Amino acid sequence: MAITLNSGFKMPIIGLGVWRIQGQEIKDLVLNSIKLGYRHFDCAADYKNEPEVGEALKEAFDSGLVKREDLFITTKLWNSDHGHVLEACKDSLKKLQLDYLDLYLVHFPVATRHTGVGTTDSVKGEDGVLDIDTTISLETTWHAMEGLVSSGLVRSIGISNYDIFLTRDCLAYSKIKPAVNQIETHPYFQRDNLVKFCQKHGVSVTAHTPLGGAAANTEWFGSVSCLDDQVLKGLSAKYKKTTAQIALRWGIQRNTVVIPKTSKLERLKENFDVFDFELSKEDMELIGSIDKKYRTNTPGIFWGIDLYA
C-alpha cells in the first residue's frame, strides 16, 4: 500500500524508523524487516547510523534479497548543514552506499552553527542555548534542496517539523513543492489542522512518533504513552489487535504515512500487520476525541531552548 507524492513517485504508507538503534542491531533489523516485507526506511544524518544502514542495504542488494528500485529510502539534512546542503546530501549517500535518495528532508526548520559536514552537532553558546545561525534563511536552504533534484541525487524533497506558517512559506517560495512534511502526530497529538492543510495543498504527511514514542520517549523525555489509553485498549479488544496496531491503522486511515520504530523482531512483525482490518467511521471519530495536544518529542531539553514555544 502506497501513496503517490506530488513528485509522481510512490511512497509506501508504512516504513521503519531507525532512530536510536546502532551497530549490528540496526543491520540485522533492516535485513529482517526487508524479509518481512518492509520497503520504506526512514533515516537521518543525526541518527548516526547511516553507515550501518548502508551496509545492510548493500548486503540486501548483493544477495538478491531486494532490488534498489523496490525500496524507498529517506534521510534528512541536519540543522548544522543548512549552508552545506549538497555536501551533506553526498555524505549521506556515501554512508548509505546509494546513488540516489527517494526523499531528502530538512530535518528541522532551523540552521545552527556548522561544525563540519555530517558531524550533526548541536553546539550551544556560552549561555547554554543552541547556537542558531541567523544568516541562512529557510528559503536559501530550500533552493539548495531543489538543486539536488535537478542534479539527480534526490527524487523528492520535503520538510520536517514545519508548522502551518512555515509550510505555507515554503509553498510560496518553492519552485519544487515539498512532497512531504514529516511531523509528530499520534492519537494524543493529532494536529488535524496541520495535517489537513498539508494534504489540501498536495503535501503528504508522514507521522513520526506514530505510537507516541512509547517507552523510548518516556525514557528520554518523561512523556506519557497513548498506548495505555483506555479507548485504545477498548478498541484493541474489539478488533483483536494490539493498541499499537490500532494507533497505526488510525494513522493510515488518515492517509498519513506511518514510520514506527522498534528494535524487537516481534514488534516489527506486529507493526506491519495492519492491513487486514479497518476501523469504522465511528471508531475513527472515537480516537479523534482523545486528542490531548500532547507533544512527546521535545528536543529542546537538549538544546537549552524550546523552539516550539
Side-chain angles (χ1 to χ4, degrees), residues 93-239:
L93 282 168
K94 182 178 179 180
K95 289 173 179 173
L96 290 167
Q97 302 189 49
L98 299 174
D99 295 324
Y100 69 90
L101 294 169
D102 294 281
L103 179 64
Y104 196 44
L105 303 177
V106 179
H107 202 149
F108 282 95
V110 62
T112 60
R113 189 203 305 173
H114 182 63
T115 54
V117 171
T119 58
T120 66
D121 289 332
S122 296
V123 178
K124 297 178 183 177
E126 293 180 0
D127 58 357
V129 173
L130 185 67
D131 193 354
I132 295 174
D133 187 339
T134 59
T135 68
I136 304 171
S137 70
L138 292 177
E139 180 175 356
T140 298
T141 299
W142 187 255
H143 291 320
M145 296 282 287
E146 291 173 327
L148 301 177
V149 178
S150 304
S151 65
L153 295 176
V154 175
R155 287 186 166 180
S156 303
I157 50 176
I159 52 183
S160 183
N161 300 302
Y162 276 48
D163 62 14
I164 289 177
F165 297 119
L166 293 174
T167 303
R168 189 220 70 89
D169 272 4
C170 190
L171 287 167
Y173 57 62
S174 59
K175 296 173 184 175
I176 300 175
K177 303 300 181 188
V180 167
N181 187 9
Q182 184 179 127
I183 59 170
E184 177 180 350
T185 179
H186 47 78
Y188 273 6
F189 195 41
Q190 299 187 16
R191 310 178 83 180
D192 214 37
N193 290 320
L194 176 55
V195 170
K196 288 179 177 177
F197 176 85
C198 289
Q199 292 174 340
K200 177 180 178 179
H201 293 281
V203 180
S204 298
V205 173
T206 295
H208 76 66
T209 326
L211 302 177
N217 277 10
T218 298
E219 178 188 346
W220 274 37
F221 305 118
S223 56
V224 175
S225 173
C226 64
L227 300 185
D228 295 324
D229 190 272
Q230 291 304 310
V231 166
L232 293 187
K233 286 184 175 180
L235 292 175
S236 171
K238 175 180 177 179
Y239 288 93

